[in-house]
């Protein structure tokens, strides 16, 4: 499906649309958050996020958490069919507008060190590599290192 700008809408995540995140995570071959984890994030976990729709079809999401004067990007995904069209950037920029409006000092996220595409994407958005997180991700084969990235605003 080709999405034109005029057909796009970004919505705040809430209980009516949060489960679409699972469908996108499955399509991306990413770990799928349980329904209870997603609802807990919204209701008690200081979490929020956005969902990107094209012609009312959910094609991307970003999950976030507020931590005092910092914000954490927990997960970001776009359907495989809709990648490399700037949709992940649109979601990130929507998040970033709120960061600036709320005078958040810093955002951060973790990514697998082998996920070169994601690392390049986040560096393009202005995040900097902070440090390697040894054995951060548990996998079927043991553990993988993570990479902490951050962007400072104020």
């Amino acid at each position: 499906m080709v999405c034109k700008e005029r057909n796009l809408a970004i919505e705040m995540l809430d209980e009516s649309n949060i489960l679409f995140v699972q469908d996108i995570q499955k399509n991306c071959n990413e770990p799928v958050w349980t329904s209870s984890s997603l609802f807990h994030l919204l209701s008690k976990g200081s979490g929020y996020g956005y969902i990107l729709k094209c012609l009312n079809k959910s094609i991307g999401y970003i999950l976030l958490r507020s931590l005092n004067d910092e914000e954490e990007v927990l997960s970001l995904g776009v359907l495989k069919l809709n990648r490399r069209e700037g949709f992940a950037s649109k979601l990130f920029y929507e998040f970033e507008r709120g960061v600036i409006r709320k005078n958040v000092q810093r955002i951060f996220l973790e990514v697998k060190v082998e996920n070169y595409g994601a690392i390049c994407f986040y560096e393009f958005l202005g995040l900097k590599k902070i440090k390697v997180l040894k054995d951060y991700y548990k996998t079927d084969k043991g553990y993988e290192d993570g990479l902490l990235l951050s962007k400072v605003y104020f």
Side-chain angles (χ1 to χ4, degrees), residues 33 37-48 63-64 74:
W33 287 44
S37 293
L38 289 168
F39 286 117
H40 178 83
L41 177 69
L42 288 183
S43 64
K44 297 185 172 110
S46 67
Y48 67 104
L63 294 177
L64 309 151
L74 299 170

Side-chain angles (χ1 to χ4, degrees), residues 1-5 7-8 52 54 59 78-91 93 121 124:
M1 165 179 37
V2 175
C3 282
K4 304 251 191 260
E5 184 79 26
N7 298 327
L8 295 175
L52 178 66
C54 177
I59 62 168
V78 173
L79 293 175
K80 289 178 184 177
L81 182 66
N82 298 105
R83 290 186 181 168
R84 309 216 41 92
E85 296 182 44
F87 298 138
S89 296
K90 286 188 182 310
L91 284 162
Y93 294 143
F121 170 71
F124 170 78

Side-chain angles (χ1 to χ4, degrees), residues 26-119:
K26 287 175 194 167
N27 177 270
C28 296
N29 296 323
E30 292 291 326
V32 178
W33 287 44
T34 65
S35 300
S36 60
S37 293
L38 289 168
F39 286 117
H40 178 83
L41 177 69
L42 288 183
S43 64
K44 297 185 172 110
S46 67
Y48 67 104
Y50 301 96
I51 194 138
L52 178 66
K53 292 185 173 187
C54 177
L55 298 172
N56 272 338
K57 181 181 184 325
S58 300
I59 62 168
Y61 73 92
I62 186 169
L63 294 177
L64 309 151
R65 179 172 40 201
S66 295
L67 304 163
N68 296 324
D69 59 354
E70 297 181 324
E71 300 275 327
E72 180 179 14
V73 178
L74 299 170
S75 185
L76 171 67
V78 173
L79 293 175
K80 289 178 184 177
L81 182 66
N82 298 105
R83 290 186 181 168
R84 309 216 41 92
E85 296 182 44
F87 298 138
S89 296
K90 286 188 182 310
L91 284 162
F92 187 87
Y93 294 143
E94 182 72 21
F95 156 61
E96 197 167 44
R97 277 192 286 280
V99 163
I100 293 166
R101 191 172 48 253
K102 294 187 288 187
N103 292 324
V104 170
Q105 292 185 6
R106 177 177 89 106
I107 63 170
F108 66 96
L109 59 89
E110 300 87 20
V111 64
K112 289 181 180 179
V113 294
E114 300 296 324
N115 192 343
Y116 303 114
I119 293 167

